């Protein structure tokens, strides 16, 4: 299964780079690349979905709270067949449903609109609570950034989710160490301890170790009476040498020359 996860994350990263180059505009690359392994394991094994029936009532929900990294999300949805190459070719063009942040469009698998950071986890908590009240077994997963965790609304939602014992809710924190304006301030396991202090089951992992990611999702499924936060330590720009831990690639444009370097890194 490890080989399958790694093959999927490689495919997602290649799609990110290809589409960023093809669109001819700046895109949020660093955080899209850092979360690829997490998305690969989630979609490959744990998320219940049906790309041919995207509004299937039995589906689990994925919310991209750090909406600026939507290219990684779109690459994943494209990989699993939610929309065609013809649709994806409209990325960041006028009139497209696929722009620089998520716009809710269930036909394409996009479950919520997100732009302002700190909102997605609140949305996810509400959905998880709704499923609980309806007696449904659907699970809700929300992807946040570590810089996003500076938002007070994140912790308001965390408190609510713990009080309501939402064990059908999983927060995935992509702790790549950077936000738009520089490094984040969290040290060592500080962020993981913060989630624990709010009453969550919190697990700190290497966000590029697919076996550790798989085990964390299993632990989340087995946890009762509290939500789970998976705090995944990642490398911003993972897979592309010139982008790794280089915040210049938080949002940037890929030229022909840089595209060739990216492909050499991915395929070398």
């Amino acid at each position: 299964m490890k080989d399958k996860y790694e093959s999927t994350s490689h495919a997602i990263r290649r799609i990110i780079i290809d589409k960023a180059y093809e669109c001819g505009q700046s895109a949020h690359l660093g955080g899209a690349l850092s979360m690829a392994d997490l998305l690969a394991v989630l979609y490959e094994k744990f998320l219940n979905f049906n790309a041919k029936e995207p509004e299937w009532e039995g589906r689990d929900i994925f919310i991209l709270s750090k909406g600026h990294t939507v290219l990684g999300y779109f690459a994943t949805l494209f990989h699993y067949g939610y929309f065609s190459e013809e649709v994806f070719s409209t990325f960041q063009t006028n009139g497209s449903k696929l722009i620089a942040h998520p716009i809710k469009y269930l036909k394409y698998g996009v479950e919520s609109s997100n732009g302002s950071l700190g909102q997605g986890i609140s949305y996810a908590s509400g959905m998880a609570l709704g499923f609980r009240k309806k007696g449904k077994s659907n699970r809700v997963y929300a992807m946040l950034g570590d810089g996003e965790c500076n938002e007070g609304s994140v912790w308001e939602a965390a408190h609510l989710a713990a009080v309501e014992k939402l064990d059908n809710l999983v927060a995935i924190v992509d702790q790549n160490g950077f936000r738009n304006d520089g490094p984040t301030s969290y040290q060592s396991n500080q962020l993981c301890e913060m989630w624990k202090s709010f009453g969550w089951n919190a697990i700190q992992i290497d966000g590029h170790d697919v076996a550790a990611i798989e085990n964390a999702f299993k632990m989340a499924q087995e946890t009762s009476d509290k939500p789970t936060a998976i705090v995944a330590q990642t490398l911003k720009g993972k897979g592309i040498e010139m982008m790794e831990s280089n915040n210049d690639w938080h949002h940037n444009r890929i030229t022909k020359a840089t595209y060739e370097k990216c492909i050499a890194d991915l395929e070398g």
Side-chain angles (χ1 to χ4, degrees), residues 1 12 22 65 81 120 126 142 152 166 171 181 199 202 212 253 259 268:
M1 196 65 183
I12 291 169
E22 290 167 13
S65 191
L166 299 180
D181 58 355
R253 186 173 74 87
Y259 175 73

Side-chain angles (χ1 to χ4, degrees), residues 6 8-18 32-37 75 207-208 235 237-240 266:
E6 292 177 346
T8 299
S9 61
H10 175 271
I12 291 169
R13 289 191 173 96
R14 176 63 192 259
I15 295 166
I16 291 169
I17 295 301
D18 285 346
L33 292 164
S34 65
M35 68 183 189
D37 298 300
H208 302 305
L235 190 63
K238 173 68 174 178
I240 308 298
L266 287 175

Side-chain angles (χ1 to χ4, degrees), residues 48 55-63 111 123-141 166-169:
N48 290 319
E55 297 185 54
W56 169 50
E57 290 190 359
R59 73 188 186 280
D60 292 334
I61 305 296
F62 175 78
I63 302 296
E111 297 282 356
Y123 191 94
S125 297
M127 295 195 78
L129 181 58
F131 286 134
R132 169 68 56 77
K133 288 181 176 295
K134 292 178 180 179
K136 294 187 174 183
S137 61
N138 310 59
R139 298 179 66 80
V140 183
Y141 298 83
L166 299 180
D167 52 17
N168 58 340
L169 174 64

Side-chain angles (χ1 to χ4, degrees), residues 17-158:
I17 295 301
D18 285 346
K19 195 53 59 180
Y21 174 59
E22 290 167 13
C23 80
Q25 301 180 41
S26 292
H28 287 91
L29 291 161
L33 292 164
S34 65
M35 68 183 189
D37 298 300
L38 296 161
L39 290 176
V41 177
L42 177 62
Y43 272 80
E44 196 62 43
K45 184 167 183 178
F46 293 94
L47 193 76
N48 290 319
F49 67 93
N50 184 347
K52 294 181 179 179
E53 192 179 343
E55 297 185 54
W56 169 50
E57 290 190 359
R59 73 188 186 280
D60 292 334
I61 305 296
F62 175 78
I63 302 296
L64 181 65
S65 191
K66 56 168 201 162
H68 57 286
T69 63
V70 73
L71 183 52
Y73 185 22
F74 289 159
T76 304
L77 293 172
F78 174 72
H79 177 76
Y80 286 101
Y82 275 93
F83 44 81
S84 66
E85 173 60 40
E86 181 180 6
V87 168
F88 204 6
S89 68
T90 68
F91 175 62
Q92 292 194 165
T93 62
N94 289 337
S96 176
K97 297 290 186 184
L98 306 179
I99 61 172
H101 287 79
I103 296 177
K104 184 177 179 179
Y105 194 60
L106 296 183
K107 180 180 177 182
Y108 292 167
V110 182
E111 297 282 356
S112 70
S113 300
N114 280 303
S116 181
L117 292 172
Q119 303 304 306
I121 186 63
S122 297
Y123 191 94
S125 297
M127 295 195 78
L129 181 58
F131 286 134
R132 169 68 56 77
K133 288 181 176 295
K134 292 178 180 179
K136 294 187 174 183
S137 61
N138 310 59
R139 298 179 66 80
V140 183
Y141 298 83
M143 174 80 75
L144 299 85
D146 49 344
E148 182 180 8
C149 291
N150 293 152
E151 298 283 352
S153 56
V154 168
W155 304 108
E156 292 174 359

Side-chain angles (χ1 to χ4, degrees), residues 155 162 189-204 226 229 231:
W155 304 108
N189 66 340
Q190 181 184 12
L191 193 52
C192 186
E193 292 302 315
M194 288 171 65
W195 286 94
K196 287 181 181 178
S197 74
F198 273 81
W200 287 53
N201 169 42
I203 309 163
Q204 185 166 318
K226 61 175 63 177
V231 181

